[in-house]
Amino acid sequence: MTPPLPGYASHFGVANIPFGIASSDSHPSPTSATRFEDNVIFLDRLDNVFEGIQDLSDTVLAQPSLNAFAALPRAVHQAVRERLQSIMKKDNTLKALPPGAVEQIGAVTMHLPVETGDFTDMSCSLHHGQNASEAMTGKRSSPPAFFHMPIGYAGRCSSLDISGTPVERPLGQHWTGKPGESEIAFGPCKKMDYELELAAVIGKPLARKERVTASNAEAHIFGYVLMNDWSARDIQALEMIPLGPLNGKNAGTTLSAWVVTADALAPFRVASPPRTRDVVSYLAASGNDALDIKLEVRVSPPGVEASQGKVMCKSNTSWMYWTLDQCIAHQAIGGCGLRTADLIATGTISGEGAEEHGCLLEFMKQGEQPPRGYLEDGETVTLSGYCSEGVGFGECVATLTPAKELDV
Amino acid sequence: MTPPLPGYASHFGVANIPFGIASSDSHPSPTSATRFEDNVIFLDRLDNVFEGIQDLSDTVLAQPSLNAFAALPRAVHQAVRERLQSIMKKDNTLKALPPGAVEQIGAVTMHLPVETGDFTDMSCSLHHGQNASEAMTGKRSSPPAFFHMPIGYAGRCSSLDISGTPVERPLGQHWTGKPGESEIAFGPCKKMDYELELAAVIGKPLARKERVTASNAEAHIFGYVLMNDWSARDIQALEMIPLGPLNGKNAGTTLSAWVVTADALAPFRVASPPRTRDVVSYLAASGNDALDIKLEVRVSPPGVEASQGKVMCKSNTSWMYWTLDQCIAHQAIGGCGLRTADLIATGTISGEGAEEHGCLLEFMKQGEQPPRGYLEDGETVTLSGYCSEGVGFGECVATLTPAKELDV
């Protein structure tokens, strides 16, 4: 387990009360749970606590995903969270909960919090785009649409993984050296990278052919998770012209276990950064659409605790050019609708400085010596994110395992 | 309804026996069905017919999608199809089926056949790629990876539509003229296009981190559907650098209603066309991996029957450079697995000639006068595909409706 960052006693204080899906030896069926400090509380064992909450049926909290709960009105999420907060605020109340309702985090297995039907990964960070462009082309340029709208691609849902699941180095065809100037070979990826991201989990759906503006998009957000969008850079570089990344992003996409609610993050909404040009109507956000979440990436070699890994990056979601509210509005503008449990992610979140690179690619500037190469087998990547004392995401962690040779 | 092509009495003879999801006034819950000529037979009303088929439980055929059925071993699909064929082969047997088991196609509503978790659209046709390249750049070039592997992008699952569902012209930001040289505007798409495609529906899943070679991929195919991958060309042209298409493909993706099984198409497997270079091991197919399906696109204006529409294209799946077997092997090579009901599509299927353009973009060659412009509101696009007397897909049809102005 990654300990909280210095100055923070816990990511999971009474101001957080996130939701996840957990199981344990004594609670073998995965169901919804919350976390308070190092305690995991199974919500299906707390029926009396939620009595009288309108629209909350008995079965919702016993499901193996949060989909049914996330689809309920925001007022239900608020009511459930407030009842739980009122328990946590009282001394010794946890001990008064029914037998088997509370377990220590170390005794619990976490599962994917939602069953996602569509996952989109956007490109919100100007700094990431320009750093990556400089690494790949020598020039700090941005795609033609960048300042007009968040661009992005559809990701794969079958390879979404819960934090802790190892990611296997993928096989694929890739450039052996500089794209376009080297050979194309088949075998294990040679340029495995992480990407530091945040994703919104959709709660309230939006019907097909309906739209939502950025100023109203937050009403559709159930909560947020950290995401490591593992990227096979050499595979990606070959395949992405002109249809974008596919297998380069499909080895695994790691999600943090606890969905931090939109309500828990509401106090950390801040003004979005100034933009270089006006946005069109559907992207206009009303006031505080950015989030102030401090982010960190650590990489640790085999045998070293994740918490002792080298800090590769410190970043912040508020530095992004586009916000997730705007990404949601953009996703919906073409008429595809939004479904509960859809994931809409930010893309790599970077700052301007070398200590603020959200992925390794950004270090690989032509003619410069990078501080390190791409990921080695056995290395563990740990993302963490936090807002304040008691409000954080915990960790999003995964170890890179060696490629399995083609055996078919 | 589109009538079968000249020379074919029906797409749905005894050699076909496809599977779909249907409902009607007297059978209001959508369940699995088959089609024989113009009869739709609800499979949940035929319990005795399937008695003794191992692994086929009573509930599977009563589900509102084919997912549970498609996930069963191929031997079950074969046994069910053979029992149905034995009924159809006898005169008057349909009349002997239980009351309510048979309805005329005109009395039936078709629904999406499967609930899809991941949909990938590949680029299999060299001719399409080169025609599109000539239209966009003036040069007949291919992407750097084209001759090495099928390239593709992940599509959106929430906007998959059953044949007959209108597609609404999307709103979006787009180039007003030549990409990169014109203004960027927001409003209804001005360049709405269709794409003639075939998609494989995955049956037997492949576990995460497992691989399958092209020579073994067919074992994972439950069947096939036609697909119209509606494309907003002006939106797509702006957004797709460098992450590929997103909203330009999200207004709707139309599927034909009947999944034609891998067994029904087995007699129409033919040798794949010669390739310009050797393929790496996982893409090596054993013999007949191409399919000989004759394809057609018709476009009809408002008030004109779809069947009377102008034939815009005649094509054939056997002309593709890459086959769906190879696409499946390529999809899986990175370790993402395959899930039952995944869709893997071919991309636009074109030939060399002007009568063989599978989408309108291919007609828009610089300096030439195209035979027509992009789609107008109210026009209906009808794809059809057939192999022989009695074995076809029926139609994949949808009408383009006007854009709805932004009302939020």
Side-chain angles (χ1 to χ4, degrees), chain B residues 297-301 304-313 371-372:
Chain B
V297 182
R298 285 178 249 189
V299 178
S300 53
V304 172
E305 282 290 308
S307 61
Q308 303 303 310
K310 181 175 166 59
V311 175
M312 295 300 299
C313 170
R372 60 159 292 156

Side-chain angles (χ1 to χ4, degrees), chain A residues 72 136 186 203 206 272 295 306 322 379 405:
Chain A
L72 293 174
M136 290 187 289
F186 171 66
L206 183 77
S272 52
L295 301 166
W322 298 104
E379 286 193 305
E405 291 302 311

Side-chain angles (χ1 to χ4, degrees), chain A residues 327-387:
Chain A
C327 291
I328 289 167
H330 184 66
Q331 175 70 73
I333 194 66
C336 66
L338 302 169
R339 294 186 294 179
T340 299
D342 278 0
L343 290 173
I344 299 185
T346 56
T348 308
I349 305 168
S350 298
E352 283 194 284
E355 298 75 33
E356 298 161 355
H357 290 351
C359 65
L360 293 173
L361 168 64
E362 296 179 41
F363 289 106
M364 310 296 172
K365 299 204 174 75
Q366 294 170 21
E368 288 185 23
Q369 185 63 33
R372 60 159 292 157
Y374 284 103
L375 294 170
E376 307 280 345
D377 289 345
E379 286 193 305
T380 296
V381 178
T382 305
L383 316 183
S384 67
Y386 47 98
C387 297

